[in-house]
Amino acid sequence: MTVKHDIHTHTLFSSCCYDPAATVRGFIDRAAELGHEILGISNHLWDEKVPGASGWYKGQTIDYGFEAKYAIPADTRGVKVLFGTETEYCGMTDTLGMLASTAARFDYILVPHTHTHMKNFVVAENPDISAERKKLAAELEGVLPWITKDLASRMAGVLRHNEVRDMVKGRDGAVDDERYIADFCFSSFESLMKNPEFVKCAAAVPTFVAHPFWACGQTRDEVHKIFGFILAEKDRLYADFSACAALGVGLDVNIGTYIDPENGYADDGMVAVMRIAKEAGCRFTFGTDTHSVKGLDEIRRGDAIADAIGIGRDDLAEIVR
């Protein structure tokens, strides 16, 4: 299948976009050159009516996000432009970053459940790694007796998650972080499907799970291990995707999450996950998740990915047909 849409994109209105050319107009121009029929703008937003936004999300309010809609030109060069958003789901607190009444103002919404790089916001840090931070803080107090307990704790907290994880591996030999993340991928998806506000969103506006079961912020080797745990529970995956399909919620085929192109992606972990989703009756959209104009070109990888999963036009969500 030739993919002729891209509805997961981030312009300069997303705080994570640093491409000066990534204006709404710039995206539309490149989409037209690529032969897109549909382009969706889906900047990161958090509904200010929902408490609990992270510091990163606080500036990305709904009113701010609508500036992107106002930037859509009258002449879109034959491309149908949809105005959507990517909000957030924090599985550790069962918090959806948008009310259904707000979601209804958009053409569609994307909801990720696995932004696992957002520790202690989306996912609680692995308890083994948190325990290592406490050990480190105690050691700092011993070596530097003039510092306070609070300062020692804050110093230990400055280290990145992976740095502390590697310290655990060096001291104790191993930490099963991949199993922990795989378990979270399942639990967060399942709690999202039952979240009352998410269910309301699904009834109010076309709703899609962004990069389902893809653990963000992991290395390639870690991703392979995580998929090993996830795909060992195929019956659970099928049940979860069946619940998703029953809600009428679609799935984002996120180009960047397909990392094994050999043999036409036949052995790619994300392909294996999405084949199960297709069997369960889910519908799909495609997106590059790009943060630059150049990244829009990655959509051409979607043709081979669609073929590997077995997605045809009839498997697409109505909004992108």
Side-chain angles (χ1 to χ4, degrees):
M1 183 182 74
T2 300
V3 178
K4 294 187 176 182
H5 70 270
D6 183 350
I7 69 164
H8 194 154
T9 66
H10 298 282
T11 72
L12 282 167
F13 286 100
S14 279
S15 295
C16 47
C17 176
Y18 301 104
D19 176 14
T23 62
V24 174
R25 172 84 268 176
F27 271 34
I28 291 171
D29 286 344
R30 186 57 188 151
E33 292 165 0
L34 289 168
H36 281 353
E37 295 175 351
I38 299 171
L39 173 71
I41 304 297
S42 57
N43 295 312
H44 292 284
L45 296 176
W46 184 284
D47 189 346
E48 51 269 43
K49 296 176 184 176
V50 178
S54 66
W56 186 77
Y57 263 115
K58 281 183 178 178
Q60 299 181 99
T61 63
I62 301 303
D63 286 345
Y64 168 76
F66 263 77
E67 293 297 322
K69 181 176 184 178
Y70 306 143
I72 298 172
D75 179 10
T76 58
R77 300 183 58 180
V79 179
K80 181 179 180 180
V81 179
L82 302 175
F83 179 63
T85 183
E86 180 178 7
T87 188
E88 194 66 64
Y89 177 65
C90 304
M92 64 176 286
T93 57
D94 192 24
T95 301
L96 182 66
M98 188 169 292
L99 297 180
S101 56
T102 302
R105 298 173 61 190
F106 295 86
D107 293 324
Y108 67 96
I109 64 169
L110 298 169
V111 182
H113 71 109
T114 56
H115 275 161
T116 51
H117 58 298
M118 295 181 175
K119 298 293 188 292
N120 297 320
F121 176 58
V122 167
V123 57
E125 185 172 65
N126 187 323
D128 291 341
I129 295 172
S130 295
E132 182 68 14
R133 289 191 192 277
K134 292 180 180 178
K135 289 181 184 177
L136 178 59
E139 290 173 359
L140 286 170
E141 283 188 84
V143 174
L144 306 172
W146 58 86
I147 67 173
T148 64
K149 181 182 289 292
D150 178 66
L151 180 57
S153 178
R154 285 190 286 126
M155 290 170 68
V158 166
L159 292 173
R160 295 194 304 260
H161 174 86
N162 289 357
E163 291 174 326
V164 182
R165 180 201 59 198
D166 291 344
M167 291 173 65
V168 177
K169 289 182 177 180
R171 173 182 291 184
D172 299 328
V175 56
D176 199 359
D177 205 35
E178 292 83 8
R179 173 81 262 185
Y180 178 79
I181 294 297
D183 288 344
F184 176 78
C185 287
F186 274 113
S187 65
S188 62
F189 189 92
E190 290 159 1
S191 61
L192 176 62
M193 293 302 115
K194 297 175 183 176
N195 180 278
E197 204 64 35
F198 181 77
V199 173
K200 291 178 185 177
C201 285
V205 63
T207 299
F208 305 94
V209 180
H211 43 75
F213 287 88
W214 173 266
C216 299
Q218 312 297 135
T219 68
R220 186 187 183 97
D221 287 345
E222 289 163 358
V223 166
H224 286 149
K225 291 177 182 177
I226 291 166
F227 273 135
F229 289 122
I230 289 172
L231 290 167
E233 299 188 60
K234 292 182 179 179
D235 289 345
R236 186 178 180 183
L237 266 179
Y238 184 87
D240 287 349
F241 285 135
S242 295
C244 181
L247 280 177
V249 171
L251 302 177
D252 163 41
V253 180
N254 194 292
I255 302 302
T257 64
Y258 296 81
I259 59 176
D260 295 313
E262 299 82 8
N263 303 316
Y265 294 94
D267 300 318
D268 187 271
M270 196 72 242
V271 165
V273 168
M274 289 301 214
R275 284 174 177 164
I276 295 172
K278 182 177 182 294
E279 291 174 11
C282 291
R283 293 292 179 261
F284 305 92
T285 63
F286 284 72
T288 55
D289 202 354
T290 184
H291 295 66
S292 70
V293 173
K294 182 177 176 56
L296 287 168
D297 294 14
E298 286 294 298
I299 198 65
R300 286 284 59 81
R301 292 208 294 128
D303 302 345
I305 292 167
D307 291 343
I309 298 170
I311 294 174
R313 185 172 178 81
D314 290 345
D315 299 305
L316 297 177
E318 188 66 32
I319 196 172
V320 295
R321 287 190 190 178

